[in-house]
Amino acid sequence: MEADSAQIKLAELLAGYSLEMTGKDVGELAAARELIDVGTRVNITFLSGEDRGLRLAAAAAVKAYGFTPVPHISARRLASRAALEEFLRELGRVGAVDNVFVAGGDPDEPQGPFGDSLSVIESGLLETHGVQRVSIAGYPEGHPGIPDHVLWPSLTSKLAGLRGRGLAAEIVTQFGFDADPVLDWIAAVRERGIDIPIRVGVPGPAGVRRLLRYAARFGVGTSATLARRYGADLLATAGPDAFLRALATDHHPDQHGRIGLHFYTFGGLRATTQWISDFRTGQQPATS
């Protein structure tokens, strides 16, 4: 009976998953589109090596294929207020401004007037240009550059800012390999009276060496050691099936509320969607 319940919850989680892509992944998206449900949310990253035109083309492609584009806005990468306004205007022109993901971004020093995601939210530009829903980041295992005692007030301030501007919100967490710290963090979020949807970050199938590299980069410290359990060696390819089953088994709606899944594809959008399709249909996804 418990196994059946976990299977049902796993199917529910997978029913509304979202994906992540870069501006260079339009060809991968085209190859994978038949495997992706209409309306699926697809986040488009804001990377330093990709210009605005590439991001806009990716957002337009997501929209054209019948999915929901969620362009990233990296606060510290914005050179000026005008740069943010122009990006939002152009997203509006391609029909991709309704949903955005706002993050502080990688640079240690801001390249313009926005030092963090809260400053973008408080600029008033999002709602002015038609944004309706904003995703923000959550860090179940902490952030390598931000102490925990800062993360909680930051989260609540951003949510208060969004609520005050009439913008819907959701949290997308950093990826992990261990369901326990993720669910513990979600429970702590709920204990603080935050009831918005949370999407749990899931690493798509990738080489173990690559997973470890991303884990170290993004501060997934506790989980990094567990990544080795997914492959026989550093040259193996790992899939998140064990993580997903643990998440479904230990997720309790009365304690954790509404959660979904967000797949980080690490450059393998087609491989990730194929893995999801196989996993949903009960096939054994190929991971090596």
Side-chain angles (χ1 to χ4, degrees), residues 235-260:
L235 299 179
T237 299
D241 47 319
F243 173 79
L244 293 178
R245 289 193 175 97
L247 189 71
T249 299
D250 295 330
H251 167 238
H252 302 289
D254 57 337
Q255 181 182 12
H256 303 112
R258 294 170 294 166
I259 68 171

Side-chain angles (χ1 to χ4, degrees), residues 103-126:
D106 292 338
D108 292 331
E109 296 295 328
Q111 297 172 3
F114 302 108
D116 54 25
S117 51
L118 182 60
S119 61
V120 171
I121 292 167
E122 292 182 335
S123 72
L125 294 176
L126 300 180

